[in-house]
Amino acid sequence: MAFPHAALRPTIVSRAQWRADETKRDPRAHYANGVTAIFIHHTDTPNAYDCADVPHILRNLYTGQTRDQHWGDFGYNFLVDRCGNIYEGRAGGVDRPVVGSHTQGFNQGTAGIAAIGTFGRGTKVPTPMERAIAALAAWKLGLRGVDPRSKVRLTSTNDKSLYPKGTSAGFYAISAHRDGFATDCPGDALFARLPAIRDLAARLQGRVLREPARVQLSRALPSLDGSR
C-alpha cells in the first residue's frame, strides 16, 4: 500500500559494505507487522572519529553486542555517523519491520536508530547526522504513513522497561531510548534536538508544519484596526 506522505529512501550502507561477519549472528530475523515508532539512541563511544573508520567501529560494536551482550545480532536497526552516512544494523532487510534489541519492552513494531558517538549535555550534534536521522525516520515511518510528529501507543513486553509488561503507553513517533527505559541515552544534547528532527522528518514527508499560535496571532493583529 502506498501512503500519500511517503518519503524518499536515503542511501544506506549495507552490512556487506561494512563487512559484517554474518557467522556471528542468529540466522533468522524476526519481524513485526510494521514500524510505527522510532527510538533514538547514541552508542556512547568517542566522537572524534574519522568517518572513513566507521566500518571498523561498526564491526567492533557488532562483536560486543553479539558476543558480550548475546543479542544475536546488532541491537540497533540502523546507525548514523557524524558525516551523515547511514548504515544497516540488524539484518533482515532495511525496508522490513525487523525486530531489534534496542529498547527493552518496546522492540516490537519499532526501529532503533543509533547516533555514533556520545551526546551528553553541551555536546554539539553534527548537522549532517541530525539531517540523516530525520531522513531515515521520515522514510521508515512513511512506509506505514506515520506522521513523525504524531503520538502513538505501544504496549510494553517486558517488566524491565519503564512500564510493566502489558501496559499501553503513549510515545512520540520519534522518541528517545530514555522515554521507554531507565537510561540517559541518547544523551541530553541529542534528546534536546528531537523536536527539530521530528519537524524536519515531517517536512521530508511533504507535510505542512503548523505555525505556533503566537506567530499566527501576531500576523493577525494588524488587521484588527484596518491597518493591514
Side-chain angles (χ1 to χ4, degrees):
M1 180 182 297
F3 291 95
H5 290 289
L8 293 176
R9 171 179 161 170
T11 300
I12 300 172
V13 179
S14 71
R15 290 171 63 94
Q17 289 173 302
W18 61 262
R19 302 195 306 279
D21 183 349
E22 303 297 356
T23 66
K24 292 181 178 180
R25 67 174 177 89
D26 293 341
R28 269 187 57 197
H30 299 277
Y31 299 94
N33 292 327
V35 170
T36 58
I38 304 285
F39 281 103
I40 306 299
H41 306 256
H42 67 173
T43 56
D44 201 20
T45 53
N47 292 348
Y49 54 84
D50 188 318
C51 291
D53 294 332
V54 169
H56 175 69
I57 294 170
L58 294 180
R59 290 192 294 273
N60 285 340
L61 288 169
Y62 177 53
T63 296
Q65 295 188 5
T66 53
R67 183 191 65 195
D68 304 331
Q69 301 291 341
H70 306 291
W71 289 347
D73 196 351
F74 239 132
Y76 316 118
N77 298 92
F78 303 94
L79 299 97
V80 178
D81 70 20
R82 65 186 186 89
C83 296
N85 300 305
I86 301 170
Y87 300 85
E88 177 184 13
R90 202 170 188 89
V94 294
D95 58 344
R96 301 186 67 187
V98 181
V99 178
S101 298
H102 53 86
T103 305
Q104 188 82 271
F106 297 102
N107 293 310
Q108 191 75 23
T110 69
I113 300 175
I116 300 173
T118 302
F119 297 98
R121 183 170 301 178
T123 304
K124 174 75 170 78
V125 181
T127 298
M129 171 181 278
E130 193 171 312
R131 289 175 176 168
I133 291 171
L136 178 57
W139 168 68
K140 194 66 177 175
L141 292 173
L143 295 176
R144 295 279 292 186
V146 178
D147 186 334
R149 303 159 300 175
S150 67
K151 289 284 191 75
V152 299
R153 296 204 70 82
L154 303 173
T155 300
S156 175
T157 62
N158 194 307
D159 285 330
K160 294 181 181 179
S161 78
L162 290 181
Y163 301 90
K165 181 178 179 179
T167 302
S168 175
F171 294 89
Y172 279 107
I174 300 178
S175 286
H177 186 190
R178 64 172 67 176
D179 293 324
F181 187 71
T183 176
D184 291 332
C185 182
D188 288 348
L190 184 50
F191 181 77
R193 297 302 302 161
L194 292 189
I197 288 172
R198 292 182 194 113
D199 283 349
L200 177 53
R203 288 198 297 271
L204 291 171
Q205 287 186 348
R207 299 180 187 273
V208 177
L209 302 187
R210 297 180 62 183
E211 293 179 311
R214 62 181 181 275
V215 175
Q216 295 173 352
L217 180 61
S218 67
R219 291 185 177 180
L221 283 175
S223 66
L224 296 179
D225 61 4
S227 61
R228 185 172 177 178

